[in-house]
Amino acid sequence: MAADYILKSKNVFTGTDDVPCEACVIVSGDKILDVVSADEAEQYQDGQTTVIDYGDKLILPGFLDSHNHIGMCMDMVDESFCIDVTGCTCFEEVMGAMKKFGEQHPDNKVVYGVNLNLFDMNDGFIPTREAMDRYFPDRPALLWTWDMHTYYANTKAIELAGITKDTPDPNNGIGKDANGELDGSFNDEAAFMMQKVVHRPDEERKNALRIFMKKLNECGVTSVSCQYPCGAVKPYPLYKLMEDELTARINFFTDLFEFTPENAEAYKKEYNSPMLQFSGLKVLLDGVLTVFTAWMLEPYTNNPTVKGFPSIPKEKMKEKIFEAVQHGYNVRVHTIGDQAVRYALDVFEEAEKKYGKIDRHHAMEHIENINPADIPRFAQLGVIASMQLRHAIFYVDDAIKYVGPERVKYCFNWRSILDTGAIIGTGSDYPVSYFNPMLGIHAGVTRTQDDGHPEGGWIPEQRITLAECIRAYTYGSACIFNRESELGTLEKGKLADITVLDRNLFEIPTHEILETKPVMTMTGGKIVFERS
């Protein structure tokens, strides 16, 4: 059979070995026909075959961003929609940036700031409704934290959302002052109530999705996850409407609490193409470290009366996971605190004993803190550790304040988890971090921030190898999507999702990883990006 493409390089990383080799990737239609030597490649060539010799550049499987909130955040690539406050170091600076943005976009319904990082706030000020009202007395203003778990809103934004002090709040996410009045903070499940005030019409979202696809491909990403929470309006019909325009595969995970066997079967039937698939269920068990909502086994070091708490009724979650497993569906559980990690593992273990092992992988998200006794359980239960490599560098100076010198050793324990035989998959958790895989790979190899801090790496014994980082972004993520039989490695018969990088990552200093760029991205045998 003649090939459509023969992609040659001295450095082909198939994902089945730890180092690249000289090879040719043979592509016909949307599949990889084979990976062979240059001499063997000749048999696949005819007058219609395009042969591209990439020299020393690195050919590898297309990256799979297995944790991304595209449904909720695709609009954020539109610079007229919101202002990114990354880099602001005090509340006044944040408000100043938002005020300037609001003046530049007078027709925007809401002045919307994103990516507030409380770690960067030198003044230690936590935004309040009243403080934001001083800058925005007559116009809705909304500020979203970088971890996506907290909104800060002024009075006008709260009114626009229709929230009052009497709004039901079963999970204690609506912030109130000592008098019971709204203080403007909305955490975890309550934060998602605010999404509706910044939701845009489909016509505007179509263009945002096109831009998002283009930017994914520019970063070498060929598959992306869309998991709950996914915004005020479910984006799946929009994806379906634009299915022919998708240049990265979308694998979506719906709200576990909305699961019924009938709904899941309907999703499977409606969304089951190579480019757009219903891939399972998702739930948030706890919150985040920064606002003390991650559910811990022991109290926070810097807030000793608090251990965090489940962000949803934990017994209800257990009941729904049992129901999903009974019907053969996989579940992803957000678990940042060590108590949340243990509880989710306990539930998966109990479900397996009750209903048997299903033929799909469950996954747990983040696993930023873990008790050492629970490290072997991922391999034992076959649960994928979905850990976002880039996230670790956000905590290098601050985690110890929250968990103390002993527990900090068990933050982001990638090495220990891999050494038990477990599989790690990774992604950006966009917009928590940008979806350029080089950012995560650099963090995984070095455990330092981009400037090399701290010297030698943060908890350096938990670093992982370059090959392991790439596998996490390819094969491990394919396992989270339950598509490892067709994605994640360069092998005969798999879908031709391929990325070519401008240099061989295995032969450069680690700081150059951050400078590395794709020169070509192929999804399903079609070139969707080429760098001129």
Side-chain angles (χ1 to χ4, degrees):
M1 180 185 292
D4 295 316
Y5 290 95
I6 296 177
L7 309 178
K8 303 171 62 176
S9 176
K10 295 176 183 176
N11 300 298
V12 177
F13 182 80
T14 64
T16 60
D17 294 307
D18 287 340
V19 293
C21 62
E22 186 169 359
C24 297
V25 183
I26 314 299
V27 177
S28 178
D30 66 347
K31 298 283 179 61
I32 296 172
L33 273 184
D34 213 340
V35 181
V36 298
S37 68
D39 289 342
E40 292 173 296
E42 292 180 3
Q43 64 184 300
Y44 295 102
Q45 186 174 344
D46 68 9
Q48 304 301 310
T49 304
T50 299
V51 180
I52 307 176
D53 189 342
Y54 285 106
D56 292 327
K57 296 179 175 66
L58 183 64
I59 299 177
L60 70 172
F63 293 111
L64 293 83
D65 189 332
S66 58
H67 194 119
N68 190 301
H69 293 277
I70 177 174
M72 189 160 55
C73 303
M74 69 178 83
D75 302 285
M76 289 171 58
V77 297
D78 182 347
E79 294 178 359
S80 69
F81 175 65
C82 59
I83 174 71
D84 188 335
V85 300
T86 299
C88 292
T89 57
C90 66
F91 179 68
E92 184 177 0
E93 192 177 349
V94 170
M95 290 294 101
M98 288 180 63
K99 199 164 184 64
K100 182 178 179 181
F101 175 79
E103 291 166 354
Q104 293 169 341
H105 301 281
D107 296 329
N108 285 17
K109 180 174 65 172
V110 178
V111 182
Y112 190 21
V114 298
N115 288 334
L116 172 71
N117 190 337
L118 295 177
F119 287 149
D120 292 341
M121 295 295 103
N122 294 334
D123 57 4
F125 185 78
I126 304 296
T128 65
R129 174 179 60 84
E130 291 182 348
M132 292 179 70
D133 282 348
R134 287 197 289 272
Y135 291 87
F136 299 98
D138 303 313
R139 189 175 179 189
L142 197 60
L143 183 56
W144 205 11
T145 56
W146 66 277
D147 55 28
M148 298 193 306
H149 281 258
T150 302
Y151 269 114
Y152 299 105
N154 73 343
T155 298
K156 289 294 183 182
I158 295 169
E159 290 173 353
L160 188 61
I163 296 172
T164 72
K165 64 181 181 181
D166 299 317
T167 297
D169 182 25
N171 301 309
N172 299 314
I174 300 176
K176 295 177 182 176
D177 62 22
N179 299 317
E181 300 296 328
L182 298 178
D183 66 11
S185 65
F186 298 85
N187 292 305
D188 300 319
E189 293 288 320
F192 308 136
M193 297 179 186
M194 301 303 296
Q195 278 286 312
K196 58 189 172 186
V197 308
V198 289
H199 181 74
R200 299 204 292 179
D202 272 359
E203 282 307 310
E204 294 180 30
R205 303 205 86 202
K206 283 181 185 178
N207 191 52
L209 183 57
R210 291 185 188 103
I211 297 170
F212 204 94
M213 287 282 130
K214 181 175 182 289
K215 289 182 178 293
L216 286 170
N217 298 151
E218 288 173 355
C219 291
V221 176
T222 55
S223 288
V224 66
S225 177
C226 171
Q227 70 277 332
Y228 172 83
C230 58
V233 177
K234 292 181 176 65
Y236 322 131
L238 176 65
Y239 300 154
K240 186 72 174 177
L241 193 64
M242 297 186 65
E243 188 169 357
D244 291 343
E245 295 187 52
L246 299 179
T247 55
R249 305 179 196 279
I250 297 178
N251 305 269
F252 69 86
F253 297 78
T254 59
D255 182 1
L256 172 69
F257 278 18
E258 294 182 1
F259 170 77
T260 67
E262 296 76 19
N263 284 348
E265 284 301 315
Y267 277 130
K268 279 176 63 177
K269 184 176 180 180
E270 178 73 9
Y271 302 96
N272 193 28
S273 76
M275 294 304 296
L276 178 59
Q277 287 192 15
F278 165 64
S279 297
L281 308 161
K282 167 81 186 297
V283 67
L284 284 81
L285 177 54
D286 69 341
V288 292
L289 212 64
T290 48
V291 290
F292 308 106
T293 55
W295 188 21
M296 305 295 289
L297 287 163
E298 300 296 334
Y300 285 88
T301 301
N302 55 348
N303 196 351
T305 63
V306 172
K307 293 184 181 181
F309 48 83
S311 58
I312 41 87
K314 64 182 190 298
E315 289 301 322
K316 178 69 172 175
M317 184 195 84
K318 177 179 177 179
E319 176 187 317
K320 293 301 289 185
I321 288 179
F322 279 15
E323 184 182 4
V325 170
Q326 185 180 8
H327 289 89
Y329 290 97
N330 54 294
V331 183
R332 300 174 70 171
V333 185
H334 167 111
T335 51
I336 284 184
D338 52 10
Q339 174 66 81
V341 170
R342 176 166 294 176
Y343 185 81
L345 288 167
D346 288 346
V347 171
F348 284 134
E349 183 173 0
E350 193 174 339
E352 183 178 316
K353 288 177 180 176
K354 190 175 179 68
Y355 299 108
K357 188 177 285 291
I358 63 172
D359 62 357
R360 296 178 66 81
H361 306 291
H362 299 298
M364 286 167 52
E365 308 302 310
H366 310 305
I367 317 164
E368 294 181 3
N369 306 270
I370 191 169
N371 184 281
D374 293 316
I375 290 172
R377 299 178 69 192
F378 290 89
Q380 291 165 1
L381 294 170
V383 175
I384 309 298
S386 176
M387 303 178 76
Q388 290 61 55
L389 302 178
R390 179 72 172 176
H391 289 195
I393 69 166
F394 301 142
Y395 291 91
V396 296
D397 294 318
D398 296 287
I400 195 168
K401 302 172 189 175
Y402 289 83
V403 298
E406 186 58 35
R407 285 184 294 178
V408 80
K409 300 173 188 174
Y410 302 102
C411 290
F412 297 91
N413 268 215
W414 311 321
R415 174 82 274 142
S416 296
I417 289 174
L418 279 178
D419 284 348
T420 67
I423 295 171
I424 287 180
T426 194
S428 62
D429 199 6
Y430 179 83
V432 176
S433 62
Y434 193 61
F435 40 73
N436 176 4
M438 296 305 113
L439 301 176
I441 290 172
H442 178 266
V445 170
T446 66
R447 286 184 74 102
T448 70
Q449 296 174 343
D450 297 350
D451 62 0
H453 173 75
E455 186 176 353
W458 179 56
I459 321 174
E461 62 271 20
Q462 292 300 329
R463 288 180 297 208
I464 57 178
T465 68
L466 176 60
E468 288 167 335
C469 288
I470 295 173
R471 280 204 196 92
Y473 253 114
T474 52
Y475 180 77
S477 290
C479 290
I480 292 173
F481 294 157
N482 287 282
R483 300 185 69 176
E484 67 269 27
S485 65
E486 54 181 351
L487 298 171
T489 56
L490 300 180
E491 293 183 90
K492 183 177 182 177
K494 288 198 171 183
L495 290 166
D497 290 6
I498 301 167
T499 294
V500 183
L501 301 179
D502 63 5
R503 66 200 78 185
N504 180 8
L505 294 177
F506 291 84
E507 294 182 353
I508 60 174
T510 54
H511 70 266
E512 277 193 34
I513 294 173
L514 295 168
E515 302 166 11
T516 302
K517 292 179 171 58
V519 297
M520 190 277 283
T521 306
M522 174 180 283
T523 303
K526 296 178 181 177
I527 293 177
V528 294
F529 168 73
E530 281 188 291
R531 192 172 299 279
S532 58

